[in-house]
């Protein structure tokens, strides 16, 4: 019997899942459940390996392999992973894979090889496992099903040790059940990182929601990122595929610390692999990773200057009571390069701010957007980009434009599409971070029937960093040929330390990913009127820059602590109850 996802993925179901996962009685037995899952999977694979090996011919062995209960899950999981890898390697083809924790039935390796054969690619896979019997049986099975030793290698190695070398591999997989607890998983990842070449990809199988009861969740925390591990994509499937996947890249700060006993030939393999990775473009963030040793990981270090970024822009939220706040965003020390205000026309307060490029937005239904933008262009304004509808899948009470997809498609073709011929880049509708957002976008493009040109996808997210990275990964996997703007994001209603940590992780993440070309933090207001929590705001209740605010502008920490105002509720465009829902979705 295979695990199947629930069809009714509604809010009540989501809340119920969170209650289950946080119940003390459940958390107490989670580790034991994962150990049972690991033991059960091992016995299942062992049984099927023995069954397949008893078949008298290669054809019958392969036929038996197709009846393995989780065969289709593995095929679709590996297909999802290979597509995700392709999205971050820009079409470059990795040739050498390693699978750590391959077990007696190396389904991952077999699926990788079968996919490569279908694409007429020459690929090799090496299996690593600490169990001598599993490695022996796996080797026999691969031979019995028609795979040569040149295609699939086998190594009896304990990945908890450091007596192995992964420098020649372009992609290294870590099985989901290698490292049952968060502590052992992190320790294993650090050891693996030290054995890999800078620029190589590390594919970590993980889990989300109730599936985390059986499989451990991979947490890419500040310890790992400070050592040079860069998360590129996080994908959480919601269909029959059980495992999530986290794709990371090894940075130069974790160059292999191998002892002098390693042979010169081993070093030669590592050099060859490194040259391959960089020459073929597998190091998607190569130039940025060269500067990765200056990461701003520690949000409580007040003496450190934040790195500047030309990607950063301003979500302008005016405050009629404190107009003087507007000057902060265009001060001489500000690194901001662009802004939007949810309108089709610029804010007069920034008329003389030449460093800020205005980006008009078609917020919702309009018959004047096109004429407004053309008028600005005719008057000499530099309008290079425009943004599409603001959270059309969200309700009006939460700042969304609440538009049916077919209506949006009609308005787009009338108000947005003509700007394409004028050299303006068109940003698609900015849906909420909920699953409904993907559905709305799909309906929108269907209604467009090929008549809506989109150059980049705007993204909104409220919740923790893991949820943000996962959402970005899903958007990238869905719209692989489009660049991305993150036009609203924050970790709402959390404590100050968590809010600062989220800001630093997310800004480093955005700055390294080349397909994210622009981003704008949702926090350009005082903490006393913030409806995403006072700690997310860039200004204190007195109008002073918080640490996050100063970091965002390229400055150093201020030590100014934001404070809220009890009983105050303000609705800004693009926020509200969607923020609450997004934080719940991030837990899945």
């Amino acid at each position: 019997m295979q695990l199947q996802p629930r069809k009714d993925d509604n809010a009540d179901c989501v809340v119920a899942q969170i209650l289950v996962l946080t119940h003390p009685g459940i958390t107490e037995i989670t580790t034991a459940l994962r150990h049972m899952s690991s033991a059960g999977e091992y016995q299942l694979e062992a049984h099927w390996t023995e069954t397949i090996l008893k078949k008298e011919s290669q054809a019958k062995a392969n036929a038996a392999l197709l009846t393995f209960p989780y065969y289709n899950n593995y095929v679709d999981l590996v297909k999802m992973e290979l597509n995700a890898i392709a999205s971050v390697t820009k079409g470059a083809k990795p040739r050498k894979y390693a699978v750590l924790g391959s077990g007696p039935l190396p389904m991952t390796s077999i699926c990788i090889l079968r996919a490569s054969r279908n694409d007429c690619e020459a690929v090799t896979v090496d299996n690593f496992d600490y169990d001598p019997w599993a490695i022996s049986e796996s080797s026999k099975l691969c031979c019995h099903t028609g795979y040569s030793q040149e295609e699939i290698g086998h190594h009896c190695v304990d990945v908890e040790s450091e007596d192995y070398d992964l420098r020649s591999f372009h992609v290294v997989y870590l099985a989901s059940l290698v490292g049952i607890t968060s502590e052992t998983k992190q320790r294993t990842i650090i050891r693996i990182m030290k054995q890999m070449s800078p620029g190589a990809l590390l594919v970590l199988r993980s889990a989300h929601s109730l599936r985390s009861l059986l499989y451990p969740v991979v947490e890419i925390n500040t310890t790992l990122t400070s050592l040079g591990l860069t998360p590129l994509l996080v994908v959480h499937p919601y269909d029959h595929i059980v495992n999530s996947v986290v794709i990371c890249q090894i940075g130069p700060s974790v160059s292999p610390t191998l002892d002098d006993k390693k042979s010169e030939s081993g070093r030669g393999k590592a050099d060859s692999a490194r040259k391959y990775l960089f020459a073929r473009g597998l190091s998607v963030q190569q130039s940025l990773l060269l500067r990765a040793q200056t990461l701003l990981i520690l949000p409580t270090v007040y003496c450190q200057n934040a790195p500047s970024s030309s990607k950063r822009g301003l979500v302008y939220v005016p405050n009629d009571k404190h107009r003087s706040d507007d000057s902060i965003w265009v001060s001489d020390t500000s690194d901001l390069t662009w802004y939007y205000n949810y309108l089709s026309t610029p804010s007069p307060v920034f008329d003389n701010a030449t460093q800020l490029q205005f980006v008009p937005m078609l917020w919702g239904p309009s018959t004047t957007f096109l004429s407004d933008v053309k008028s600005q262009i005719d008057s000499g304004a530099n309008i290079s980009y425009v943004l599409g509808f603001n959270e059309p899948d969200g309700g009006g009470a939460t700042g969304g434009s609440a538009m049916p997809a077919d209506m949006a498609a009609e308005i787009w073709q009338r108000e947005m599409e003509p700007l394409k011929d004028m050299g303006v880049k068109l940003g698609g509708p900015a849906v909420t971070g909920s699953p409904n957002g993907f559905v709305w976008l799909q309906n929108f493009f269907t209604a467009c029937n090929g008549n809506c040109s989109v150059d980049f996808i705007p993204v909104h997210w409220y919740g923790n960093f893991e949820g943000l990275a996962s959402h970005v990964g899903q958007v990238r996997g869905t719209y692989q040929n489009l660049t991305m703007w993150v036009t609203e994001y924050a970790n709402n209603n959390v404590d100050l330390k968590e809010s600062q940590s989220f800001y630093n992780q997310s800004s480093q993440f955005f700055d390294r990913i080349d397909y994210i070309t622009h981003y704008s933090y949702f926090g350009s207001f005082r903490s006393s009127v913030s409806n995403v929590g006072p700690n997310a705001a860039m200004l204190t209740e007195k109008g002073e820059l918080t640490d996050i605010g100063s970091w965002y502008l390229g400055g150093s920490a201020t030590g100014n602590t934001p404070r809220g105002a009890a009983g105050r509720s303000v609705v800004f465009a693009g926020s509200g109850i969607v923020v609450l829902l997004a934080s719940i979705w991030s837990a899945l």
Side-chain angles (χ1 to χ4, degrees), residues 19 48 103 133 294 345 367:
L19 292 175
W48 277 88
W133 182 87
T294 58
T345 55
T367 58

Side-chain angles (χ1 to χ4, degrees), residues 363 388-395 399-405 408 429-432 440-441 444:
W363 183 86
F389 309 106
N390 185 72
E391 299 190 352
D393 59 313
S401 54
M403 298 177 62
V431 296
T432 65
W440 191 97
L441 272 179
F444 169 77

Side-chain angles (χ1 to χ4, degrees), residues 124-153:
T124 63
V125 185
D126 283 59
N127 294 318
F128 293 78
D129 202 284
Y130 77 97
D131 185 344
W133 182 87
I135 285 294
S136 174
E137 295 300 288
S138 173
S139 179
K140 294 176 186 176
L141 181 138
C142 290
C143 181
H144 195 43
T145 51
Y147 297 96
S148 68
Q149 294 181 356
E150 288 74 23
E151 290 179 296
I152 297 187

Side-chain angles (χ1 to χ4, degrees), residues 383-577:
I383 304 296
S384 303
Y385 309 95
V386 292
L387 297 171
F389 309 106
N390 185 72
E391 299 190 352
D393 59 313
T398 62
S401 54
M403 298 177 62
D406 55 350
M407 176 193 294
E410 180 181 347
I411 295 173
W412 179 285
Q413 293 171 55
R414 183 185 70 237
E415 300 293 325
M416 291 281 276
E417 202 62 27
L419 294 171
K420 185 77 172 179
D421 296 332
M422 303 176 68
V424 178
K425 300 290 187 181
L426 310 184
V431 296
T432 65
S434 76
N436 289 336
F438 285 98
V439 176
W440 191 97
L441 272 179
Q442 182 179 4
N443 292 338
F444 169 77
F445 285 115
T446 299
C448 285
N449 195 27
N451 296 315
C452 299
S453 302
V454 172
D455 296 294
F456 60 91
I457 293 288
V459 170
H460 287 187
W461 181 259
Y462 294 93
N464 61 26
F465 175 72
E466 290 76 13
L468 169 66
S470 172
H471 186 62
V472 167
Q474 287 181 282
V475 174
R476 179 62 174 176
T478 306
Y479 303 102
Q480 296 183 17
N481 297 322
L482 299 178
T483 55
M484 195 181 304
W485 290 30
V486 183
T487 51
E488 281 188 29
Y489 74 101
N491 195 2
N492 54 297
N493 300 313
V494 296
D495 63 35
L496 183 58
K497 182 178 180 181
E498 188 174 352
S499 187
Q500 291 176 338
S501 177
F502 167 84
Y503 168 76
N504 284 319
Q505 283 185 289
S506 57
S507 61
Q508 294 154 25
F509 179 62
F510 296 152
D511 287 336
R512 293 176 192 165
I513 304 300
D514 63 346
Y515 59 77
I516 295 178
T517 62
H518 297 67
Y519 63 91
S520 49
Y521 183 77
F522 189 76
S524 61
F525 34 77
R526 298 193 177 199
S527 58
S528 53
V529 297
S530 171
N531 70 331
V532 289
N535 296 320
M538 290 198 281
L539 300 175
T540 68
E541 72 283 0
K542 298 178 181 179
E544 304 167 318
L545 282 172
T546 63
D547 288 350
I548 289 177
S550 183
W551 288 333
Y552 192 69
L553 298 185
S556 58
T558 63
N560 297 325
T561 302
R563 303 185 188 283
R568 190 177 295 239
S569 177
V570 179
V571 175
F572 298 141
S575 61
I577 191 65

